[in-house]
Amino acid sequence: GSPASLSRFRGALVAGVLGDCIGGEFEGAEEVPMESVLQHLNSLDDESKGNGILEYSDDTAMARCVVQSLLTRAGFDEQDMARRFAKEYSASPGRGYGSGVIQVLKKLSSPQLSDVYQPARDQFNGRGSFGNGGAMRAAPFALAFPEMADVRRFSRLGAMLTHSCSLGYNGAVLQALAVHLSLQGALNLPQQFISRLITEMEEVEDNEATRSDARILKEAEKPFCERLHRVRDLMDRSKVSIEEVISELGNGIAALHSVPTAIFCVLHCLQPRECLPEKYGGLERTIAYSLALGGDTDTIACMAGAIAGAHYGIEAVPQLWIKCCEGAEDADMNAERLHMLYHQSSPGG
Ligand code: R7I
Ligand code: MG
Ligand code: MG
């Protein structure tokens, strides 16, 4: 499809929901045999199973808040977004939120709160969370703002409402930038795609907050850049085992151990793979492969799904999978609204 086409918007938002709903089955599992993944995916093709059987989790619940806020305010409004997070949490607290972020969401619902970023700063003894909760809901920022600088800025601020550690919010920026580039068709040249992400993140991570967090947490000076270099090294290899991907990139709840992993899943599945059914297209491969990594499967599949969906477009998303997932049809309608907002705000368009 052409750059920033409606099909790509729909693919991104819908496949993100699918990754969350379908990936929930294996969240926290240490080892997930590919056989179990394929069995799970085959069961979605069984039409007798009915609609909406797979519920979405916090990943989608919060992404929906981001979408609604961006649409209603026609841009980023931190007060409005914070209010929506708090309201959503109090309406459905059982969506599987991270154990730390719950404190933030409770504080955000206080009417006395003057600085909406303060509760996030208080997390983990004042360092803030490095969890992937900012990154899991970052895709909509790429679908609302055509300018890369806006995507960078607002995905960071949107994540900082709950994640004030740079290893948390920079993960959100990376995820949003990956969706942004994919939307432009950048995955047609995978080597350039990863190089551009590295170049962008070099700048994003070039500041004192990042250096200081990295030092304290004993990470490389530019943690996400270092991981993206590992992604590039793995890409260049003809054969990579699941175990190697997990040990090199991680599959955990930290943004650093899941966002680069999600990006790798997309890149690795651009071509057919021996371990995956021949009948699968790229989008199905990406979701299946993300689940087979185990660990934080709903979130990794959600992030990989959004990047892959922006590349392949809605036509690549299996109808029967959409039917099985709560919130997928809704995401499809919102994608159209975001597409309009995006093209309204683009210069001359
Ligand atoms: O990041 P967050 O919103 O969690 C998202 C994850 C996704 O997998 C969702 O699907 C859902 O399952 O949860 O929630 P946080 O509570 O901010 O962070 C998640 C977890 O990361 C925390 O509960 C901690 O275990 C860990 N964590 C930290 N641990 C020590 N020190 C995050 N930051 C720190 C830290 O600074
Ligand atoms: Mg979740
Ligand atoms: Mg998760």
Side-chain angles (χ1 to χ4, degrees):
S2 52
S5 65
L6 176 59
S7 168
R8 290 179 184 269
F9 278 68
R10 295 172 65 197
L13 216 55
V14 171
V17 175
L18 261 50
D20 178 21
C21 292
I22 299 172
E25 172 82 5
F26 303 109
E27 193 184 17
E30 234 176 77
E31 245 175 72
V32 182
M34 186 59 88
E35 214 186 300
S36 311
V37 170
L38 299 180
Q39 211 170 39
H40 181 47
L41 293 175
N42 280 337
S43 79
L44 307 180
D45 294 330
D46 182 349
E47 283 188 74
S48 63
K49 286 268 170 74
N51 298 341
I53 47 169
L54 299 174
E55 289 181 4
Y56 62 73
S57 79
D58 58 328
D59 304 49
T60 300
M62 294 195 89
R64 286 162 62 102
C65 294
V66 172
V67 168
Q68 287 306 339
S69 183
L70 293 172
L71 286 173
T72 313
R73 309 297 303 154
F76 180 66
D77 175 341
E78 65 268 26
Q79 308 283 339
D80 181 76
M81 199 171 283
R83 216 174 2 243
R84 286 173 194 274
F85 289 155
K87 216 173 143 199
E88 167 61 33
Y89 173 70
S90 70
S92 317
R95 294 269 187 195
Y97 287 86
S99 54
V101 77
I102 290 170
Q103 296 310 315
V104 180
L105 297 172
K106 285 180 180 160
K107 290 183 191 170
L108 285 179
S109 61
S110 161
Q112 278 100 325
L113 188 72
S114 57
D115 179 358
V116 288
Y117 294 105
Q118 192 54 44
R121 287 191 203 108
D122 296 339
Q123 293 296 94
F124 299 98
N125 301 314
R127 201 181 52 242
S129 171
F130 54 61
N132 55 20
M136 73 188 183
R137 60 173 194 257
F141 290 97
L143 307 180
F145 302 102
E147 297 297 330
M148 194 148 186
D150 291 333
V151 175
R152 257 167 69 161
R153 169 151 178 248
F154 296 125
S155 61
R156 176 172 50 83
L157 291 172
M160 284 174 84
L161 291 169
T162 51
H163 291 69
S164 80
C165 177
S166 64
L167 277 94
Y169 62 73
N170 282 342
V173 173
L174 174 56
Q175 167 66 9
L177 290 177
V179 175
H180 170 83
L181 290 180
S182 177
L183 206 62
Q184 310 301 320
L187 277 166
N188 289 323
L189 298 168
Q191 291 294 342
Q192 268 189 33
F193 176 87
I194 194 74
S195 296
R196 286 184 67 185
L197 277 182
I198 292 173
T199 307
E200 285 300 315
M201 291 308 289
E202 286 281 351
E203 229 178 276
V204 168
E205 292 193 297
D206 186 15
N207 53 66
E208 198 39 48
T210 300
R211 279 186 286 272
S212 144
D213 287 337
R215 214 177 304 123
I216 293 164
L217 292 162
K218 298 194 168 55
E219 295 292 343
E221 187 174 319
K222 292 184 175 180
F224 284 98
C225 288
E226 191 242 5
R227 294 275 159 165
L228 289 172
H229 281 285
R230 292 191 199 184
V231 170
R232 181 193 264 162
D233 291 344
L234 289 174
M235 271 172 84
D236 291 341
R237 296 197 5 215
S238 54
K239 268 213 156 72
V240 191
S241 72
I242 298 257
E243 291 73 25
E244 285 172 291
V245 177
I246 297 171
S247 81
E248 284 294 303
L249 303 177
N251 62 0
I253 211 163
L256 189 63
H257 303 153
S258 49
V259 183
T261 311
I263 292 169
F264 175 76
C265 289
V266 178
L267 290 164
H268 186 71
C269 294
L270 285 170
Q271 45 186 294
R273 294 287 169 184
E274 237 172 61
C275 62
L276 293 161
E278 266 178 55
K279 64 172 181 187
Y280 276 4
L283 189 100
E284 290 130 302
R285 285 197 296 269
T286 305
I287 297 214
Y289 190 79
S290 306
L291 304 199
L293 296 181
D296 195 359
T297 48
D298 66 335
T299 305
I300 294 173
C302 168
M303 297 189 294
I307 303 165
H311 175 62
Y312 299 108
I314 193 69
E315 293 78 15
V317 184
Q319 274 299 323
L320 288 170
W321 293 15
I322 294 179
K323 289 241 179 309
C324 290
C325 296
E326 180 192 13
E329 309 260 11
D330 232 54
D332 201 1
M333 292 189 299
N334 282 329
E336 200 168 330
R337 300 188 181 112
L338 283 169
H339 182 255
M340 278 165 59
L341 176 66
Y342 179 105
H343 286 284
Q344 271 165 22
S345 41
S346 62

